[in-house]
Amino acid sequence: MRPQILKKPHILSLCLFLLFFGFTGCKSTKTVTAGDSNLKLSAKQLIKENQKQAPEFKTLQSKLKITYSEGDKTQSHTVSYRMEKDKVLWMSATFGIIRAKITPQSVAFYNKLDNTYFEGDFKYFSKLLGTALDFEKVQNIILGEALFNLKDETYNVSVYEGKYVLQPKNQRELFEIFFLVNPSLFKVTSQQLSQMSEQRHLQIDYLAHQEVDKQVLPEHVKVIAVEGTKELIAELEFKSVSLNEDLRFPFKIPSGFKKIEL
């Protein structure tokens, strides 16, 4: 299950998109360790246990450290991250130099370093990832939930290296998808989407989980996007998370900025 595969402009655009993926830490945060494993569940039972663990909150905010690399180039940034569940995802770099906002209707960001902005929908990123993308799927990735609703299909279940592997009994025509599930937390630890005809692979690994106000959330996430011979790796480390506070999501594209056409 190792990735296979994004031309240069794709890598850059995906990098901007990956800035939305994340959160962590908190006043009442602790890393969740594995308990007793149960490797005898049916696919239906496993999906039921997984969905019991879905986090419930109204708002979330945190500091997010993003480290991404392409080839021998590596960059690291720390940003402020906020979300209102089911409504808005918001990110801002220091002094608002780069700011981004996703809603169910739109994707937008601007960059004061080069006076550019993007304002559109999910169509470009859907094409980039090889699957229809919307707000719910992005939110699911951030919260460590399965990209697709597991109740919508019938799955086969197997065990690989001490973890459950879920895969649809009938894989989609355009791509294949797999979910690895922790047998004690019943949380997704990896989701992998492969589009072999386009030599593309997206892999999202949840390397650690944490408990925040009795909610189990991702703590350390690794995203690998591969296309052809190009590979982008993003590491997300989440710090100072707090839940259910009153938050604002200021966003206004400065006048005179040039629109990016993706």
Side-chain angles (χ1 to χ4, degrees), residues 85-116:
K85 199 164 183 279
D86 303 323
K87 293 184 178 181
V88 59
L89 310 174
W90 180 96
M91 181 213 73
S92 182
T94 305
F95 304 121
I97 292 174
I98 299 175
R99 186 164 287 180
K101 184 177 181 180
I102 292 181
T103 70
Q105 293 76 37
S106 67
V107 177
F109 58 81
Y110 64 78
N111 185 346
K112 291 183 178 179
L113 295 175
D114 59 8
N115 294 343
T116 59

Side-chain angles (χ1 to χ4, degrees), residues 23-25 141-144 206 208-210 216-221 238:
F23 61 111
T24 231
I141 293 171
I142 292 170
L143 296 179
Y206 300 92
H209 287 83
Q210 62 182 322
V216 178
L217 300 168
E219 182 176 17
H220 186 186
V221 182
F238 311 118

